[in-house]
Amino acid sequence: MRTILLIEDNEQNRYLTTFLLEKRGYAAVSAVDGPAGIETAERILPDLILLDIQLPLMDGYTVARRLRSHPKLRQTPIVAVTSYAMTGDREKAIAAGCTGYIEKPINPETFIEEMERYLETAHEATQGSDSR
Ligand code: MN
């Protein structure tokens, strides 16, 4: 079973995302702020991380940079979940080490499909580095 870590402070967003992930057969683990998210990621080494940008204690950009500095999280897809209106957030998220982004509010119809694109990308990237 693949494990997805969700770092998100908003309870309703956590509830919906967890519901969609579990319905599709993923194990969903959540953290409610930046430091807790980093601690959890290092401990469970998830297959993918969904990262809210506006978080208490530490913003999502800082979280992404810290995650990328961990040797075992360098290849892990990190998908920023950002507001549609906040266009500048996306570039900043990519610059901070995120693999891509999904627009918030999330669309329950397309969310899993969008997320799985990043899972597959990571898989191919990992295979590529293994064969070298
Ligand atoms: Mn938030």
Side-chain angles (χ1 to χ4, degrees):
M1 187 187 277
R2 286 182 166 184
T3 302
I4 311 298
L5 171 62
L6 171 64
I7 308 176
E8 165 66 81
D9 61 313
N10 181 281
E11 189 178 357
Q12 284 184 314
N13 290 341
R14 280 201 309 274
Y15 182 85
L16 175 61
T17 308
T18 299
F19 172 80
L20 294 170
L21 289 169
E22 290 181 346
K23 191 171 124 193
R24 193 63 170 245
Y26 293 98
V29 177
S30 343
V32 300
D33 62 46
I38 292 166
E39 185 276 320
T40 306
E42 291 176 351
R43 182 162 43 84
I44 70 171
L45 301 175
D47 294 289
L48 181 144
I49 299 167
L50 292 166
L51 176 63
D52 180 27
I53 293 300
Q54 295 184 313
L55 287 167
L57 306 177
M58 187 188 287
D59 68 37
Y61 309 118
T62 308
V63 174
R65 280 191 290 270
R66 301 264 176 104
L67 292 170
R68 283 294 180 236
S69 73
H70 190 287
K72 289 188 172 168
L73 295 169
R74 291 222 172 101
Q75 301 290 329
T76 308
I78 302 174
V79 181
V81 185
T82 62
S83 290
Y84 178 70
M86 309 286 275
T87 315
D89 279 7
R90 297 172 191 167
E91 286 70 30
K92 282 165 75 178
I94 302 297
C98 291
T99 313
Y101 58 86
I102 290 176
E103 275 169 18
K104 195 193 266 200
I106 64 166
N107 178 348
E109 305 286 323
T110 58
F111 171 75
I112 293 289
E113 195 181 312
E114 289 181 71
M115 188 203 74
E116 285 177 342
R117 261 203 323 251
Y118 294 112
L119 264 180
E120 292 316 312
T121 303
H123 185 58
E124 286 162 21
T126 303
Q127 284 182 328
S129 60
D130 284 349
S131 65
R132 250 176 249 147

